[in-house]
Amino acid sequence: MEETESVDLIRLADRPGLGGRSVSVRVTGRSAPGALLGHDWLDCEIVITTEVVHGCLPVVLTPDDVEDRERKLDELADGRSASWPDSGRGPELTVQPTRNGGMWVSVGDPESSGVVVKLPLAPAAGWVEEQRALLARVSGVFPRETVETTPGVFVWRR
């Protein structure tokens, strides 16, 4: 797969036949391909689709953000709410599972645009496992190729 192709890191959507609402985080490529600092950062876009809203927010994810996604999926699998990324650098996505198997998803961009969109979703069973598969795919397509040897010092992984 070419790195120029987009790959979903997150895809939360209503079951087929429902409202057609969705929230996804799409990785569009490396933020600074070939540059040691920033090479493993990923350019992404959060895409929100509802009956009345269609929006797209750009976000850059660090390797730590991507690694933290697994922990957030563990929280969601346990029925707890989770917000991600929690770096405070840009838009944030919050998922609040409900008792009936649905969820409320909020996407907020308080620092830049001030926009917050909150929508209910009724995902198909197995949605957490689907998210884990998406994370594994992104990690395969965009493997971490640099390592931080000391704070702020990066080298190419061998």
Side-chain angles (χ1 to χ4, degrees):
M1 171 178 279
E2 293 290 320
E3 285 191 356
T4 56
E5 289 185 43
S6 62
V7 180
D8 283 341
L9 173 63
I10 297 173
R11 185 176 45 239
L12 301 170
D14 281 330
R15 290 185 303 273
L18 295 179
R21 297 173 298 257
S22 67
V23 174
S24 62
V25 176
R26 186 173 301 139
V27 179
T28 59
R30 293 192 188 272
S31 184
L36 186 59
L37 182 60
H39 176 80
D40 288 336
W41 295 11
L42 301 177
D43 284 332
C44 303
E45 54 190 17
I46 300 173
V47 180
I48 305 151
T49 303
T50 74
E51 298 88 341
V52 296
V53 172
H54 181 78
C56 183
L57 291 167
V59 63
V60 175
L61 299 176
T62 67
D64 290 340
D65 293 331
V66 176
E67 290 172 10
D68 189 43
R69 183 73 186 134
E70 184 69 37
R71 187 174 58 81
K72 297 300 181 174
L73 288 171
D74 291 341
E75 292 173 16
L76 291 168
D78 289 341
R80 295 180 284 157
S81 296
S83 294
W84 178 88
D86 51 11
S87 61
R89 290 186 325 276
E92 183 178 82
L93 186 133
T94 301
V95 177
Q96 299 171 309
T98 61
R99 291 182 186 150
N100 65 359
M103 64 180 69
W104 282 96
V105 178
S106 300
V107 177
D109 183 30
E111 297 299 320
S112 181
S113 67
V115 170
V116 176
V117 175
K118 186 173 184 175
L119 60 147
L121 292 176
W127 66 271
V128 173
E129 292 77 17
E130 178 186 352
Q131 302 312 301
R132 290 188 199 282
L134 292 172
L135 175 60
R137 182 164 185 241
V138 166
S139 295
V141 173
F142 297 100
R144 191 163 184 173
E145 296 177 345
T146 65
V147 64
E148 190 171 11
T149 56
T150 58
V153 177
F154 293 84
V155 296
W156 291 106
R157 188 179 297 266
R158 296 189 190 261

